[in-house]
Amino acid sequence: MKKLILIPIYFLALFSASAQLNVTGQASLSVQPERTIVTYSINETRDSYDEAISIMTKRIDALTTSLTKIGFKKEDIKTANFNIRQNRKYRQGEPKGEEYVASQTLEIRFDHSTKRLLEVLNKTASDESAPSVSIAFGMSDEQEEKVKNKLMKMAVSDAKAKAEVLAEATGYKIKGIKEINYGSSSNSPRPYTANMGMMKSFAESDMSNFEAKDLTISDQVFISYEIEK
């Protein structure tokens, strides 16, 4: 019976000599974008299905022609979305027949350059295709990999520094790492949107000062340290 009593007391003493410290390491970087994504949206509303598709297709063809004239290959121009839906028309609250809304979205990606971006916007701001546009800035694949690796190292260093301060302040020292949980970085492209009216102004104005803002990329890591007296 004495042995049975001594064993749990022994393990209790051992447990009290060590503890666990959970720390979140964080890191953030500001980087210049190396990739530009331009998305064009064309919508056409007509009373008949065939007419909606036909006119939208003509506008898409006009936009595609403009893009190929400035160096984009047809395989570079991606269809991101295509849709046609039927809507009911109303007048003074009463149904007045049907209409069809056809929409298609094209997307192009290229190495970021203010000069190239302005050329793309100016050459595609035509009344014939009349697209709405959204612009996003992001990282190239190589840049993303470098930034990701740097952020992970920075986050681990931040976690270690915090753990050392906390351990010292409480009279402990770090014995080792028990567990690491890694969180993904927030590196979504920064959106900039423009409507057709703005597209016309691009063609008519000096946009030489149009510059993309730096991207703010962050990451974090969760580390559990084993600490002891």
Side-chain angles (χ1 to χ4, degrees), residues 26-229:
Q26 297 177 318
S28 182
L29 282 173
S30 291
V31 298
Q32 292 184 335
E34 292 186 353
R35 181 70 53 82
T36 299
I37 305 98
V38 179
T39 304
Y40 296 96
S41 298
I42 291 181
N43 298 279
E44 192 65 48
T45 302
R46 297 287 165 169
D47 289 338
S48 74
Y49 179 98
D50 291 339
E51 188 179 15
I53 289 290
S54 176
I55 296 178
M56 183 194 69
T57 300
K58 288 179 180 179
R59 292 171 61 191
I60 289 291
D61 289 344
L63 176 58
T64 301
T65 298
S66 296
L67 290 170
T68 54
K69 284 182 178 179
I70 54 175
F72 290 97
K73 299 178 181 179
K74 287 190 175 181
E75 55 266 31
D76 297 330
I77 306 169
K78 308 293 186 181
T79 296
N81 180 63
F82 176 86
N83 181 61
I84 183 165
R85 67 181 187 275
Q86 185 180 39
N87 285 346
R88 177 166 291 182
K89 295 192 297 183
Y90 289 89
R91 183 179 299 170
Q92 296 179 347
E94 296 294 327
K96 295 293 181 181
E98 307 291 341
E99 63 181 6
Y100 294 85
V101 181
S103 61
Q104 188 168 343
T105 302
L106 299 183
E107 181 182 280
I108 54 172
R109 295 171 178 253
F110 51 92
D111 292 341
H112 178 67
S113 159
T114 300
K115 181 179 179 180
R116 180 58 166 162
L117 174 58
L118 296 178
E119 179 188 23
V120 168
L121 295 175
N122 289 335
K123 297 297 183 181
T124 54
S126 69
D127 290 328
E128 187 176 5
S129 57
S132 59
V133 63
S134 64
I135 306 165
F137 303 106
M139 296 186 290
S140 64
D141 294 340
E142 182 180 356
Q143 182 186 29
E144 185 172 351
E145 186 67 21
K146 288 181 180 179
V147 170
K148 179 181 177 181
N149 291 340
K150 187 173 182 178
L151 282 172
M152 284 193 289
K153 292 177 182 178
M154 290 171 62
V156 169
S157 295
D158 181 60
K160 184 179 179 181
K162 290 176 179 175
E164 288 174 345
V165 171
L166 290 169
E168 182 181 356
T170 53
Y172 281 80
K173 63 180 180 179
I174 296 175
K175 183 179 180 181
I177 294 176
K178 296 189 67 175
E179 186 178 4
I180 298 177
N181 291 304
Y182 174 63
S184 60
S185 59
S186 57
N187 53 15
S188 300
R190 183 186 300 274
Y192 175 89
T193 59
N195 57 30
M196 180 52 195
M198 295 177 68
M199 284 289 287
K200 289 181 181 179
S201 70
F202 287 139
E204 298 167 357
S205 305
D206 178 13
M207 297 294 295
S208 58
N209 293 325
F210 186 84
E211 293 287 347
K213 293 181 180 179
D214 286 353
L215 302 172
T216 300
I217 317 299
S218 60
D219 210 347
Q220 59 185 7
V221 62
F222 306 92
I223 302 180
S224 294
Y225 292 91
E226 185 178 358
I227 55 177
E228 62 182 2
K229 288 287 188 180

